Structure formats: structure tokens, C-alpha cells
Amino acid sequence: LIVTSAPGMSLKPMARHLRNMQVMAMRQMFRPSRYRLHPFAGAARSFAVAAKEPEYHTGGNFEGYHLFHRSAPFTFRNGEQIPELQIAYETWGHLNNKKDNVILLQCGMSASSHACSHARNPAPGWWEEYIGPGRPLDTNLFYVICTNNLGGCYGSSGPSAINSHTGQRYGSSFPRFEVQDQVAAQFVLLDHLGIDQVHACVGASLGGMQSVCAASMFPDRVRKFVSISACAKSFPGSIAFRHAQRQAIMSDPNWRGGDYYDGQLPANGLRLARQLGTITYRSGLEWQQRFGQSLAKGITKREGLKNEFMIENYLAHQGEKWVNAYDPNSLLWISKAMDGFSLEKPDRDGKPSLLEGLKEAMMPALVIGVQHDVLFPVWQQKEIADTLRKAGNKGVVYYELDSIYGHDSFLLDAVSIGPAVKGSGSWTFFLEDASGGHTRAVATCGRPSRTGVGEQRCWISSGHQPEGKHRRQHEGHFPSAGKWRKGGGARSAESHGEVGVVRSRQRGSC
């Protein structure tokens, strides 16, 4: 585990904080599972990986989502239009009276809006362990909204949707779009729902790109964001991987330039594309521990060119699962949007600058990377955190995990990632000017009140104590320039600089 915050801050308390949260998560937050073992169980834990795969395509026929339909044209950044916009979305929890307890959950490339089970669709979703009462996205506190991405094939406008002007599926006529267009469509939905500001944007992979993008595009509407295994600018390595996937589909004769909906699906190309993608989603270390050079079941000797290793059969199975479960054109269009993604803006000299692009994103931010991620290497997440700090954001926390699941850790390693997300959702750190040029650290917690979920501030600063039931002892760490000192019922800190970790000694958010 690597945890970084602002320069000069000790990292040990933050690492200890996350480890403690992991233990609490295992005890309290998640339902029992035969696949979940203690994170320090060594070989036993790696063995458990074999039985667990992402639940991207659960949800049966994807019933139970809400459908937002706007009859007015939607204009893309490149100037092209579609005559109407449809966004499929699902929700969990309850929207409070002020409509300020919203978490916008932004999903990966191939995910539907079905992130978690609910009464309209009881099938488990792709982030089942993260959403619900007491879980990282706590539905006792927050109203969680998840959309199917623009360009997707699970209810939202995309190549497989019907063009109302022609009565036919868009196919190759669907406009090229950018990640920024996907985020803009999400905020059109928020406008429709009367939501002016979200408590947080939370996303991983493409969703993590969208969360950073939303913070940059709508800084007044995003109070904080969580970005997991993502980037602020695509790099050639990930572009190359996605290029190979696209070539697999486009080389299938049944693709027909993208207009295959009245004929055969380019199934062979889709199978191969998914196999290529799976290689980038997992890690070699995991597969070494899980498969090694073991032969597949029923194989006693090596002969011919058929699949003989377990890893070969595994990849073939992953490819087969995608046939008739995901639209090939959605992969092409969305992956192209990911390839072209960059939050750079021209600086004073006219040169592309990520610093310039992120300078408006001054809200608290949690950035998480995974060391074994080959699709979005950890230096990309570190780049987000470092650029935000350089731009002046004093509320940035960066976690780097050594999970062997690779890029899919955000789907499979809830014990490691869940507590970090929960910590970000429950605690918000602000810096406010105080006398003497010092700053005060403000820990806010989302606690339900009679009027809905609001924030009550627990001041942890010199001469001020939390009141009422929030008057508890807290401990944490700030830069070496500041020191903890006892102050009645609470410990307090004075600091010249950056935000640290505050941990309640009692259970709960605050």
C-alpha cells in the first residue's frame, strides 16, 4: 500500500487509517461470501481469485432501469447532432429535500446502469458490494445515480439505438463523440432531475476518466470526486491495446462497416476483442498464481493447435460470454472516445497543458491506482494527483494498492478499494483561513437529519470543540509544521498547509 498526500505530510497515519478501515470493512460492510478471505491471507487469498469474475453482464434482460428521453437534439463537441437523447439510469437510496446528497456513479466501457440489485431488478449488479446501507456508497446517506454511457447498448443513445428520423438503427451513422460528451449527457440528466450539484462523482476506468472530467467541466456542480484506475489523458500503450481490439472486430466480414444489425453479428471479431481486452484487465501475477502452465481439464498431452492450457480456455470463455451480451459498435465508438481523451487546455504559450485543464478542479479528490494495472498504469493516477496539487488543490489524497487483480481490482477487490471510497464519502476535508495565516481543518460528515442528509461540521482546531453527539475524540496527522495538541474533548491541529487524515475513535462516520 502506498498512500500520499501533500508534501511534508507523514504517510504512516494514512496507511494505518486505510488498513484499519479494511478490517472494519471485512467485519461490517459486506455480506459474507465464500470468496472473501482476509486480505493478508497470502496464498489462500490468491486462490480465491479463481472463482470470482466481474459481473458486467448480470441483470437478465436489463429490465428495471429508468429512461430519460429528451426530444430536442443533442449536440456533440465536434458539432454533430443526434435528433434526440436517451439515457438509461438506475438509482438507489433516497433524494433529500435539498437534493444535495447525490452521488453520480460513472461506469466503465462495457457496463450497464445496473450497478446494484434493487426491487425492479433483483439480479446482482457490477458494483453490488459497494452500494447499500453501510456500504461505501451508503444508501442510508446518499442517493446514488448510475447511467448507461452515451454510446452504450443498454438503453442509452448509441450506434444500436433507433434513429427517430430514419426508423433504423444508427449503425455507422452515429456521430463520433468524446468522453466530455458522455459527461455532458449525464449532466443533462441531472438537470432533468432538478439536481444542481452532486455530493460526489465516483468512477473507475472510463468512469474514473469521467469523474475527473466532470470536476474540470462542472467545478461548481461537483463537490468532490473519486477517480479509480483512470487517467486525465490517454497514453499510447492503452491506445494500442484498444486499437488491437477494434481491428479484431473490423476485420470480421460480418461487421460490414458497422451496419450489421439486419444480418449476422460479427461474433468472431467480438470474441477476439474481448480476449484481448481481458489480457489488459488482469495481471500476469494473478494468472501465474491461478493458472501457471496447468493443462486444461481433460488434456493429457500436447498435440495439434487446440487450446490446451487453462489460460487459453479461460480467455476463450471470456470471449464467448460477450457474444450477444455487448454490441461491437459500442466498443468501437466508446474506445475511440477513450483514446482521444485529454483534459489539456492551452497555456499562456498556446501549448497543451494538463495543469491548465485541471486548475478549476479545486474540490476534495481521492485518486486510487493499482500497481499491477497494465491498461492504466499507476503513473497516470499519480499524474492526476500531482497535477491537481500543483494547480493548488489542497484536498487531494492518492492511494496506490498492490492488488494482484490488475485493472479489474475496482470490480473484484472490494476489501481494498471499498474502505477508501467509503472514507472519501463519509469525510470531506476543507481548508479555511484562520487568524495568524494558519488554516483550520474541517471534517464534515454526512449524517441523516429530519430534513434529509445534510452535513454537520466537526471542527478540529485550536480552541473549538465539536458539539453535542459529535463531540468525540479524533486523531490524525498534519504536516510537520503543525502539531496535535489536546483541546478539551477533541484533539486539535494547527497547520500551514495541507489536509491530513482524521479518524474517529468510535464507529460511524463522525
Side-chain angles (χ1 to χ4, degrees):
L1 168 71
I2 297 176
V3 187
T4 71
S5 189
M9 179 182 292
S10 171
L11 305 182
K12 292 182 179 179
M14 300 185 75
R16 184 174 65 247
H17 172 66
L18 184 55
R19 285 196 297 269
N20 290 343
M21 293 177 70
Q22 286 177 319
V23 173
M24 289 185 65
M26 295 178 63
R27 292 175 179 173
Q28 299 176 9
M29 294 197 316
F30 304 125
R31 291 180 291 192
S33 169
R34 61 191 177 98
Y35 303 131
R36 189 173 301 109
L37 302 175
H38 193 283
F40 305 113
R45 184 183 183 225
S46 64
F47 177 78
V49 175
K52 195 168 186 180
E53 292 294 331
E55 297 287 355
Y56 263 130
H57 302 295
T58 58
N61 56 4
F62 300 98
E63 291 183 350
Y65 60 78
H66 303 287
L67 185 62
F68 163 63
H69 175 255
R70 191 182 79 167
S71 57
F74 179 81
T75 303
F76 298 88
R77 279 165 55 98
N78 60 12
E80 295 192 62
Q81 287 186 335
I82 51 177
E84 59 185 6
L85 176 67
Q86 291 190 163
I87 297 293
Y89 69 100
E90 297 178 46
T91 66
W92 301 264
H94 300 281
L95 185 63
N96 66 10
N97 294 335
K98 295 182 178 180
K99 295 187 177 183
D100 62 356
N101 67 328
V102 174
I103 290 180
L104 178 60
L105 175 59
Q106 295 160 304
C107 64
M109 178 180 70
S110 59
S112 71
S113 59
H114 191 64
C116 185
S117 58
H118 50 74
R120 298 181 306 279
N121 188 342
W126 53 267
W127 243 30
E128 187 75 19
E129 293 179 318
Y130 289 78
I131 302 172
R135 294 185 176 185
L137 303 187
D138 192 341
T139 51
N140 286 335
L141 303 175
F142 302 115
Y143 183 63
V144 182
I145 301 174
C146 182
T147 73
N148 177 224
N149 284 319
L150 176 70
C153 54
Y154 300 126
S156 294
S157 296
S160 62
I162 301 295
N163 183 338
S164 61
H165 282 187
T166 66
Q168 303 295 320
R169 298 185 187 273
Y170 283 100
S172 61
S173 69
F174 196 82
R176 277 281 303 275
F177 55 84
E178 302 178 18
V179 173
Q180 287 89 336
D181 293 313
Q182 294 179 312
V183 173
Q186 293 166 351
F187 277 77
V188 169
L189 170 64
L190 294 178
D191 291 338
H192 167 72
L193 298 175
I195 297 167
D196 295 327
Q197 189 181 66
V198 297
H199 179 81
C201 285
V202 178
S205 191
L206 169 59
M209 298 161 71
Q210 292 173 351
S211 67
V212 181
C213 184
S216 174
M217 291 177 63
F218 302 101
D220 296 331
R221 301 187 65 179
V222 178
R223 293 171 59 186
K224 57 183 170 180
F225 71 90
V226 178
S227 179
I228 307 169
S229 296
C231 66
K233 178 184 178 180
S234 290
F235 88 114
S238 62
I239 295 173
F241 286 134
R242 290 189 287 265
H243 166 78
Q245 289 182 278
R246 288 192 296 271
Q247 290 303 304
I249 292 173
M250 296 167 67
S251 298
D252 189 321
N254 290 330
W255 180 60
R256 295 168 53 190
D259 297 313
Y260 51 81
Y261 294 107
D262 59 350
Q264 291 187 337
L265 184 78
N268 289 333
L270 184 60
R271 290 187 187 98
L272 182 55
R274 179 58 176 177
Q275 291 183 43
L276 292 168
T278 300
I279 295 171
T280 71
Y281 302 149
R282 310 301 274 266
S283 79
L285 178 60
E286 177 205 351
W287 284 352
Q288 175 61 30
Q289 295 183 15
R290 180 172 170 179
F291 302 121
Q293 277 188 302
S294 299
L295 295 178
K297 185 177 180 180
I299 300 295
T300 57
K301 62 179 180 179
R302 303 175 186 175
E303 58 183 359
L305 298 176
K306 64 182 179 181
N307 294 344
E308 57 191 22
F309 293 105
M310 287 181 65
I311 182 62
E312 291 179 303
N313 276 2
Y314 169 78
L315 288 175
H317 173 68
Q318 293 300 314
E320 194 63 40
K321 286 201 310 182
W322 253 29
V323 176
N324 295 317
Y326 190 65
D327 181 44
N329 276 344
S330 285
L331 185 152
L332 299 177
W333 263 251
I334 295 178
S335 68
K336 269 294 188 181
M338 296 173 70
D339 286 356
F341 178 64
S342 175
L343 289 177
E344 292 176 324
K345 291 182 179 179
D347 61 13
R348 292 180 179 178
D349 298 324
K351 297 180 180 178
S353 168
L354 196 57
L355 182 66
E356 190 70 21
L358 293 179
K359 70 178 184 180
E360 300 297 327
M362 291 295 105
M363 66 288 290
L366 170 64
V367 184
I368 300 177
V370 177
Q371 291 177 355
H372 295 283
D373 189 340
V374 298
L375 186 59
F376 289 83
V378 290
W379 64 261
Q380 291 195 289
Q381 293 88 62
K382 190 70 163 51
E383 180 181 52
I384 296 173
D386 289 346
T387 304
L388 287 169
R389 291 173 186 147
K390 189 175 180 181
N393 189 328
K394 299 183 182 299
V396 181
V397 174
Y398 171 70
Y399 288 153
E400 187 173 303
L401 307 176
D402 63 352
S403 173
I404 64 171
Y405 296 95
H407 185 66
D408 270 355
S409 292
F410 74 94
L411 294 168
L412 301 177
D413 202 350
V415 170
S416 294
I417 292 181
V421 175
K422 184 176 178 67
S424 174
S426 299
W427 289 92
T428 310
F429 297 97
F430 295 93
L431 293 177
E432 297 188 3
D433 291 334
S435 59
H438 288 51
T439 57
R440 284 180 174 179
V442 185
T444 68
C445 63
R447 283 222 169 225
S449 64
R450 293 180 180 178
T451 58
V453 177
E455 289 197 340
Q456 300 181 16
R457 293 188 170 188
C458 301
W459 287 90
I460 307 173
S461 58
S462 176
H464 191 103
Q465 301 174 18
E467 298 178 356
K469 63 182 180 181
H470 294 281
R471 183 174 177 175
R472 302 175 180 174
Q473 286 189 333
H474 295 73
E475 64 183 22
H477 188 88
F478 282 76
S480 55
K483 297 180 180 179
W484 284 110
R485 70 168 182 265
K486 295 180 180 179
R491 293 177 181 262
S492 57
E494 290 186 353
S495 158
H496 288 281
E498 316 299 339
V499 68
V501 170
V502 179
R503 185 180 70 231
S504 172
R505 288 181 175 175
Q506 300 190 17
R507 294 181 181 179
S509 297
C510 182

